[in-house]
Amino acid sequence: MAFLLLTRFCYYICRLKKIIHIVGNRPQFIKLAVLYKAIAESGMARQFILHTGQHSSHEMSGIFFDQLALPAPDIRLQIDNTDPDLFIAAATRQIRDHLFANNYNAVLIYGDTNTTYAAAIAAARSGQTLHHIEAGVRNGDLRVPEELNRVIADRLSSYHYCCTQYNLDTLKSEGSGKAGSFFTGDLMLDAYLRLPEDAAFRPEFSSYIACTIHRAEHILIKEQLEAVIAALNNIHKQIPVVMPLHPHTQKKLSGLSVKAAFRIIAPLGYSRMKAFLQHAAFIITDSGGVSREAYFARKKALVIMERPVWPEILTTGAGLACPPDTRMIEDAFQQLQQLEPDFEKAVFGKGNAASAISRHILNAL
C-alpha cells in the first residue's frame, strides 16, 4: 500500500508543470514573494528560483528572503556585479546553460534589471517560453540601461503582465499587445497591502523626507551625483532628509567634493522600509519601485528622473519629476508641497495582481 501511494505521488509530481523564477534584486524578491505563494496555493506547478546575485549582500538580498518567507533559491549564481556588461554576459551564459540542461514550461522574469535582460536572452536562446511581469513600461530614452532591458524583455516574451492599463496600451501601440498580454495590476501593490510594516519602527524625526538614490546614471556620473547631494543638503535645512544608503552609492559618496549633510542610515528590509515610508512627510527618490510605494503609502513624491517610468503617478497629482539638477530639484520640491493628490484612482489595480497573473500563467500551461 505504501509503495502504491509513493508511486502515485511520484507520478503526480512528475506531471506537474515546471516554472522557474529568475530574480536578482530587492524589488524582484518582493514581487516574487506574493506570486510564488499564489502559484503554490494552486498546487498545479513545481516552482524553482534562480538568483543571479545581482544584489548579493545580506542587507539587499538575504534579509528579504528571510522576511518574505521565501524558500532559499534553488540555483544561486556567483557573478561579480562590479561591471554591468560583464555581469550581463556571465549571467546570460550561466542562465542559458541551466535552461538547456533543465527544461521548464515557463520562465518568469520581473521588471527591467540586468538580470531581466540576461534571462530574456537566455530563455530565447534555449527556446523556452518567456513570461514578462511588469511589461509595457517605457520612458522613451534608450540611453537609460533599464529602458533597453524593458524593450528587449518585451520583444522576446510570449506573455506580458502589465501593472497599469497605460502599460498595456503601450504594448498595443508597439504591436506587442496580443492575446498573451494582460492588465493584471501590480505585484508591488499586493505586497504593500499584505505584508506588515515593522511595528517597532520609531522615526528619529517627527517630520522627515524619506529619500533613496541608486540609479546608475546618477551615481556613476560624478557631476550628477554631486548635484543631487547638494540639493538634498539644502532641502535638509527645511525638513530633515533621511536616506537608507544603497551599498554601491555609499562607495561613490566618499569621492565627492560635496559631502552629504543629511542623515544616512543602513539599508532597510521590507517591513522596516514600509514603516519608513509610512511615517515620512514626503518622499524623494530615483527609484521606480519606491515611487510606486510612495503612491501606495499616499505620500507625495519627487522623482529625480527627467523621463519618469510611471507618468501615471504624476497624472494623479501625487508626484513631480525633474532631472538631477540642484536648482531644479529644490524648485520641484517647493512645488511638490503645494500639490493636491488623488490617491483614490486604482492606477496599479486593486491588489489582486498575484492571483490574476497566477491564473493566466497556469492557463497558458
Side-chain angles (χ1 to χ4, degrees), residues 268-323:
L268 303 175
Y270 184 80
S271 60
R272 180 143 292 202
M273 184 66 178
K274 181 178 177 179
F276 176 64
L277 298 178
Q278 283 286 158
H279 285 84
F282 303 96
I283 293 170
I284 298 178
T285 185
D286 64 356
S287 164
V290 173
S291 64
R292 279 178 285 166
E293 290 173 322
Y295 186 77
F296 306 155
R298 295 172 170 257
K299 305 294 180 179
K300 292 187 282 189
L302 175 58
V303 183
I304 303 179
M305 295 178 68
E306 193 165 2
R307 299 183 183 180
V309 294
W310 300 106
E312 300 93 324
I313 295 175
L314 276 56
T315 61
T316 68
L320 291 173
C322 69

Side-chain angles (χ1 to χ4, degrees), residues 44-352:
M44 295 176 62
R46 296 171 63 195
Q47 299 184 81
F48 301 83
I49 300 172
L50 186 152
H51 184 349
T52 64
Q54 185 173 334
H55 281 174
S56 57
S57 68
H58 179 73
E59 293 83 359
M60 300 300 291
S61 175
I63 191 172
F64 288 93
F65 277 81
D66 294 341
Q67 291 186 354
L68 301 174
L70 276 167
D74 301 277
I75 308 97
R76 184 185 289 273
L77 307 183
Q78 301 294 332
I79 305 173
D80 184 1
N81 191 31
T82 305
D83 185 307
D85 293 326
L86 293 179
F87 172 86
I88 290 171
T92 302
R93 176 175 53 80
Q94 293 186 37
I95 296 170
R96 180 206 62 194
D97 290 348
H98 177 78
L99 295 180
F100 269 126
N102 300 271
N103 188 43
Y104 295 96
N105 302 101
V107 178
L108 273 56
I109 57 175
Y110 298 75
D112 57 13
T113 69
N114 290 337
T115 289
T116 304
Y117 179 94
I121 298 294
R125 289 189 179 278
S126 64
Q128 300 197 32
T129 304
L130 190 62
H131 298 246
H132 186 200
I133 295 158
E134 202 171 293
V137 181
R138 300 285 185 273
N139 77 343
D141 188 354
L142 287 173
R143 297 171 301 173
V144 177
E146 290 87 352
E147 183 74 356
L148 180 62
N149 296 348
R150 297 176 199 121
V151 172
I152 295 298
D154 281 340
R155 296 294 290 178
L156 295 179
S157 296
S158 299
Y159 296 92
H160 307 94
Y161 308 102
C162 301
C163 296
T164 71
Q165 182 62 46
Y166 181 72
N167 297 155
L168 181 57
D169 292 342
T170 298
L171 286 178
K172 290 178 178 178
S173 71
E174 295 176 349
S176 299
K178 302 176 182 177
S181 300
F182 312 96
F183 165 40
T184 58
D186 190 355
L187 290 174
M188 293 283 282
L189 176 57
D190 286 37
Y192 200 88
L193 293 176
R194 297 178 189 178
L195 301 175
E197 66 178 78
D198 185 349
F201 176 78
R202 296 291 181 270
E204 182 178 349
F205 304 99
S206 58
S207 179
Y208 64 92
I209 298 167
C211 180
T212 69
I213 301 296
H214 79 282
R215 297 195 84 77
E217 62 265 32
H218 293 159
I219 63 176
L220 297 180
I221 300 175
K222 184 178 179 181
E223 294 76 16
Q224 291 195 10
L225 184 55
E226 288 183 338
V228 172
I229 298 303
L232 295 176
N233 284 345
N234 290 332
I235 293 171
H236 180 68
K237 296 173 184 176
Q238 308 170 46
I239 306 175
V241 174
V242 184
M243 179 189 291
L245 199 57
H246 190 290
H248 192 36
T249 310
Q250 191 167 16
K251 295 177 183 177
K252 297 296 180 181
L253 288 186
S254 60
L256 300 182
S257 59
V258 179
K259 302 303 179 183
F262 47 85
R263 183 79 168 91
I264 292 174
I265 62 175
L268 303 175
Y270 184 80
S271 60
R272 180 143 292 202
M273 184 66 178
K274 181 178 177 179
F276 176 64
L277 298 178
Q278 283 286 158
H279 285 84
F282 303 96
I283 293 170
I284 298 178
T285 185
D286 64 356
S287 164
V290 173
S291 64
R292 279 178 285 166
E293 290 173 322
Y295 186 77
F296 306 155
R298 295 172 170 257
K299 305 294 180 179
K300 292 187 282 189
L302 175 58
V303 183
I304 303 179
M305 295 178 68
E306 193 165 2
R307 299 183 183 180
V309 294
W310 300 106
E312 300 93 324
I313 295 175
L314 276 56
T315 61
T316 68
L320 291 173
C322 69
D325 174 89
T326 301
R327 173 60 67 85
M328 296 181 75
I329 293 172
E330 293 176 24
D331 290 345
F333 179 68
Q334 297 304 317
Q335 296 172 37
L336 182 75
Q337 298 176 66
Q338 309 306 316
L339 293 182
E340 297 183 2
D342 179 2
F343 289 114
E344 299 305 323
K345 290 184 178 180
V347 174
F348 296 97
K350 298 181 179 180
N352 59 351

